[in-house]
Amino acid sequence: MAQPQTQRDIAQTDVKEPSTVSSHSHSVELKHHEEFWFHDGNIVLITGDTGYRVYQGLLSSQSTVFQDMFSSSIARHDELYEGFPIVRLSDSPQDLAHFLRVLLPKSQRHLYRLQDGSPFSFDQIFAITRLAHKYGVEDLQKQALYILQEYHFTNDFDRFDDPSRFAVDHVVQVRNIQAIGVVNLARLTDTPTMLPIALYRCCGLGGKLLDGWRREDGEVEHLSTDDIKRCLDAREKLAQEAFTLIDHVFSLSRAEKCRSHYSCILKRYTILRRAVRSKSVGSWAVLDSWKDFIQTEVEKSKVSEEDPGLCPACAKELVKRDLEERRTLWNRLPDIFGIVVQGWATQDG
Ligand SMILES: [Zn+2]
């Protein structure tokens, strides 16, 4: 399968070996990074024209990739800055800063995250995941992915359908365009459970799907061609599913405990007609709940003499069917996107 690539990935190899071009007394113009230039640091990381004077022991102890790079650089002694070994990296300065803020925290120490803690930006989580993967810091990669899975890209329908999860904006917000980044992280880290909802949200992008998502460092993240095809094909399937779902939810049979048979049949017919005319039908967003729509229709009937009412039993039945039908669709999401996700959808449906 084609792997997603960024312009930077295409232009540069993964981690550059230390340069072999210069002498022992090499002098380079460097901007000292304002957060990560420690006067007693013992190694200089360089990305672009920015230098980070940091502590090799601290980084080596957290990443065997850094450990190998530092050993190689020191052994070769081929490039120095003010007497300290240099290691050149291909990461953007923004990404590297996000990563170092976690590995060498100066102000973001966390023993326990308080409810009023400052939120993460998606760029921050994206950069930390990618670099933790690249430099082999597994526990950090796991934590960053957990944040995305717990709050947005879950494999649990009940979690997805719980409106209270939107009250967690203090943790991280993810716009639909950034779901492109989430798909690519799922591919990079082999975390397929994030894919169904990440691809589903990409279906809402329309033509922007091809433009890609511009990261804070200016690089543009694109889906692989295979994943773009998946979204385009699924968008059509999801729109068809919307019609089936609405038929199943609003079909005209009454609830078992219905108290007003004729008016409920009439009301259900009216609701069905309104639902079919609503913009949600034929849209890709089939997992959106009809609960508010149903409740609005019930409320309308209470204030209109011409609008027949729906009894509480029938209203409850519609809400129940809405939940069941969307759960069934949720269970089929991997099929709709043509992917296999182990452990997806263990609920009945
Ligand atoms: Zn009824």
Side-chain angles (χ1 to χ4, degrees):
M1 183 183 301
Q3 288 298 310
Q5 287 186 308
T6 67
Q7 291 161 358
R8 181 181 297 274
D9 290 334
I10 293 164
Q12 295 182 284
T13 53
D14 210 18
V15 179
K16 281 185 179 176
E17 286 296 308
S19 166
T20 56
V21 181
S22 44
S23 68
H24 290 245
S25 59
H26 186 71
S27 165
V28 283
E29 288 292 322
L30 265 192
K31 276 195 288 189
H32 294 186
H33 192 272
E34 57 184 28
E35 274 182 81
F36 296 102
W37 189 268
F38 298 101
H39 73 277
D40 58 346
N42 53 7
I43 195 145
V44 176
L45 308 180
I46 298 178
T47 175
D49 59 355
T50 305
Y52 306 70
R53 186 166 160 189
V54 289
Y55 306 103
Q56 53 176 298
L58 270 175
L59 294 180
S60 293
S61 61
Q62 297 179 74
S63 160
T64 52
V65 178
F66 274 139
Q67 188 178 20
D68 292 346
M69 290 167 74
F70 297 164
S71 304
S72 162
S73 172
I74 291 162
R76 288 156 68 168
H77 248 225
D78 48 10
E79 200 174 26
L80 298 174
Y81 184 85
E82 294 178 356
F84 295 100
I86 285 175
V87 174
R88 293 184 183 274
L89 307 175
S90 61
D91 311 299
S92 73
Q94 291 93 333
D95 281 5
L96 187 59
H98 283 312
F99 192 47
L100 292 177
R101 281 183 198 114
V102 185
L103 299 186
L104 308 173
K106 292 170 66 179
S107 61
Q108 296 186 337
R109 296 177 301 276
H110 293 304
L111 175 61
Y112 177 76
R113 189 177 175 80
L114 299 171
Q115 286 298 306
D116 59 354
S118 56
F120 297 108
S121 69
F122 178 72
D123 282 286
Q124 192 181 0
I125 298 293
F126 183 82
I128 289 169
T129 311
R130 283 180 65 242
L131 269 61
H133 179 80
K134 180 174 174 182
Y135 295 106
V137 187
E138 284 178 25
D139 61 325
L140 187 56
Q141 176 186 308
K142 205 170 161 184
Q143 290 176 57
L145 289 174
Y146 173 83
I147 290 171
L148 294 175
Q149 292 172 294
E150 179 67 7
Y151 296 106
H152 296 279
F153 300 93
T154 174
N155 63 347
D156 178 344
F157 174 73
D158 293 311
R159 177 92 185 122
F160 174 84
D161 201 43
D162 178 3
S164 70
R165 82 190 166 89
F166 293 115
V168 297
D169 281 349
H170 66 278
V171 178
V172 63
Q173 291 186 18
V174 184
R175 292 180 283 117
N176 277 353
I177 192 74
Q178 292 168 325
I180 290 174
V182 178
V183 172
N184 289 348
L185 286 183
R187 295 292 184 200
L188 176 74
T189 61
D190 192 19
T191 314
T193 51
M194 294 203 302
L195 278 175
I197 293 303
L199 290 168
Y200 173 75
R201 290 184 60 172
C202 286
C203 286
L205 294 174
K208 289 181 185 167
L209 185 64
L210 299 176
D211 295 337
W213 162 55
R214 185 173 294 279
R215 295 167 8 192
E216 67 177 348
D217 61 9
E219 296 293 326
V220 179
E221 200 78 17
H222 291 284
L223 290 187
S224 68
T225 309
D226 286 344
D227 281 333
I228 289 174
K229 278 187 204 159
R230 282 191 178 91
C231 291
L232 295 178
D233 291 344
R235 201 178 146 90
E236 203 172 309
K237 287 182 205 165
L238 291 169
Q240 287 168 355
E241 294 286 352
F243 284 102
T244 310
L245 183 137
I246 209 169
D247 181 44
H248 289 177
V249 172
F250 297 102
S251 60
L252 297 179
S253 62
R254 64 187 179 130
E256 215 172 281
K257 293 180 182 170
C258 178
R259 292 208 305 254
S260 47
H261 179 61
Y262 292 110
S263 70
C264 279
I265 290 286
L266 200 53
K267 178 65 181 175
R268 282 191 176 213
Y269 179 68
T270 309
I271 292 181
L272 177 60
R273 273 188 13 212
R274 284 183 185 147
V276 167
R277 282 198 221 116
S278 84
K279 61 181 168 54
S280 303
V281 176
S283 151
W284 61 277
V286 287
L287 294 175
D288 285 359
S289 174
W290 285 91
K291 190 174 175 183
D292 288 348
F293 175 86
I294 294 164
Q295 281 170 346
T296 304
E297 289 297 323
V298 170
E299 291 303 316
K300 268 190 210 166
S301 67
K302 286 183 187 166
V303 294
S304 166
E305 288 181 8
E306 293 153 20
D307 210 345
L310 193 66
C311 78
C314 281
K316 199 173 165 190
E317 173 70 16
L318 288 190
V319 171
K320 184 173 154 244
R321 286 190 196 178
D322 169 55
L323 188 68
E324 287 169 354
E325 290 297 326
R326 288 183 300 113
R327 189 191 298 278
T328 303
L329 250 175
W330 169 278
N331 292 351
R332 290 176 41 226
L333 270 188
D335 284 343
I336 290 170
F337 285 103
I339 55 176
V340 175
V341 181
Q342 295 294 331
W344 183 266
T346 51
Q347 307 96 328
D348 293 333

